[in-house]
Amino acid sequence: MYGSVYLIASFVFMVGTLLGSFANVCIHRLPPRESVCTPRSYAPCCGRRLRSWHLVPVLSWIALRGRCAYCRSAISLHYPVVELLGGGLALLVYVAIPDMIPRFSAWLFFFGLLVVFFTDWRERIIPDEISLGGVVLGLMLSPWTIGLVPALTGSAAGGVSFYLIGWFYKKASGQVGMGLGDVKLAFMLGAFLGPAAFLAAVLLASTAGSILGLSLIRFGRASSSAALPFGSLLAPAAVLALFKGAELWSWYHSLF
């Protein structure tokens, strides 16, 4: 019995690393608006086409000792890290969510968040393919997850509130405080999380952003006017909120 459990868990983790590998493709190609389907995978350092064994998640990076098979340039640690995160998130969903469609929905959601975290952190871009596509998928799957009405309410409340916050901030300061990428991401998060869990995600991300910002200012790594990639803060917060967001928001609301 235990052997079969470990076998299934290993298979889920392996599939998750494959999704992480595809997330790497999206992270690399979506910001410059390249196709994620064609051409076939290639080495970013020299442009040579990669062979099948070069694409085995994590293991190929280890076998190549973190270097390109052709030009021997260093391959960023970013690639196996994303693949391992994909495997870890897939395994987390498998263990925590027993029903098939909610599990499938969470896998799609976490895949999108993985791409969002790295594209926003590196390029300050949240691809529309992820955020707007996520809105559609979240609403389509909502009858089997949180319900269509909570999904519609959460999506509308998230997107509209982020847009209004950005609009008022720009009017008051003359600077862009909330980009449209964040607004579209809020629509997506609300569709998957619903209103209460979405608010919990925003609370977690805002708290993390405040701590990170103050720490960077304290150690001279940023100024008080520096902007943090809020999408990269919202992504891990949304992972936590999917599981415990409603309870967290109820606890926070009870304090007042």
Side-chain angles (χ1 to χ4, degrees), residues 109 146 150-151 154 188-199 201 237-239 241-243:
F109 185 44
I146 62 173
M188 170 187 162
L189 298 184
F192 277 97
L193 297 175
F198 170 78
L199 290 171
V239 172
L242 183 72
F243 297 111

Side-chain angles (χ1 to χ4, degrees), residues 12-216:
V12 169
F13 182 82
M14 181 183 68
V15 172
T17 62
L18 291 172
L19 289 175
S21 181
F22 182 61
N24 272 323
V25 175
C26 295
I27 292 164
H28 180 70
R29 297 191 185 188
L30 287 180
R33 308 193 73 79
E34 297 178 4
S35 170
V36 299
C37 299
T38 57
R40 288 180 56 188
S41 295
Y42 58 88
C45 49
C46 61
R48 298 279 297 275
R49 182 170 294 180
L50 298 176
R51 297 181 180 179
S52 298
W53 74 272
H54 296 150
L55 303 175
V56 178
V58 184
L59 296 180
S60 60
W61 187 89
I62 295 173
L64 291 168
R65 298 182 180 179
R67 300 219 168 247
C68 175
Y70 301 110
C71 67
R72 305 308 296 167
S73 296
I75 302 173
S76 173
L77 187 62
H78 158 93
Y79 291 97
V81 166
V82 172
E83 291 163 355
L84 287 171
L85 285 172
L89 289 171
L91 193 57
L92 174 64
V93 169
Y94 175 76
V95 171
I97 303 177
D99 297 326
M100 183 56 66
I101 297 181
R103 182 184 287 169
F104 177 67
S105 176
W107 274 336
L108 292 176
F109 185 44
F110 288 177
F111 170 81
L113 293 176
L114 191 58
V115 176
V116 166
F117 178 88
F118 285 98
T119 56
D120 198 32
W121 188 268
R122 296 173 60 187
E123 308 289 344
R124 299 297 195 270
I125 291 173
I126 299 174
D128 287 349
E129 293 86 346
I130 300 297
S131 56
L132 298 182
V135 174
V136 174
L137 289 172
L139 294 177
M140 286 177 57
L141 294 169
S142 65
W144 296 275
T145 55
I146 62 173
L148 181 58
V149 173
L152 287 169
T153 305
S155 182
V160 171
S161 63
F162 269 40
Y163 178 81
L164 291 176
I165 290 170
W167 186 84
F168 280 115
Y169 183 86
K170 187 175 182 180
K171 283 291 183 181
S173 66
Q175 298 178 342
V176 176
M178 186 75 69
L180 286 179
D182 294 317
V183 173
K184 296 170 190 175
L185 178 62
F187 277 111
M188 170 187 162
L189 298 184
F192 277 97
L193 297 175
F198 170 78
L199 290 171
V202 173
L203 174 64
L204 289 169
S206 300
T207 303
S210 299
I211 295 171
L212 178 60
L214 290 173
S215 299
L216 291 173

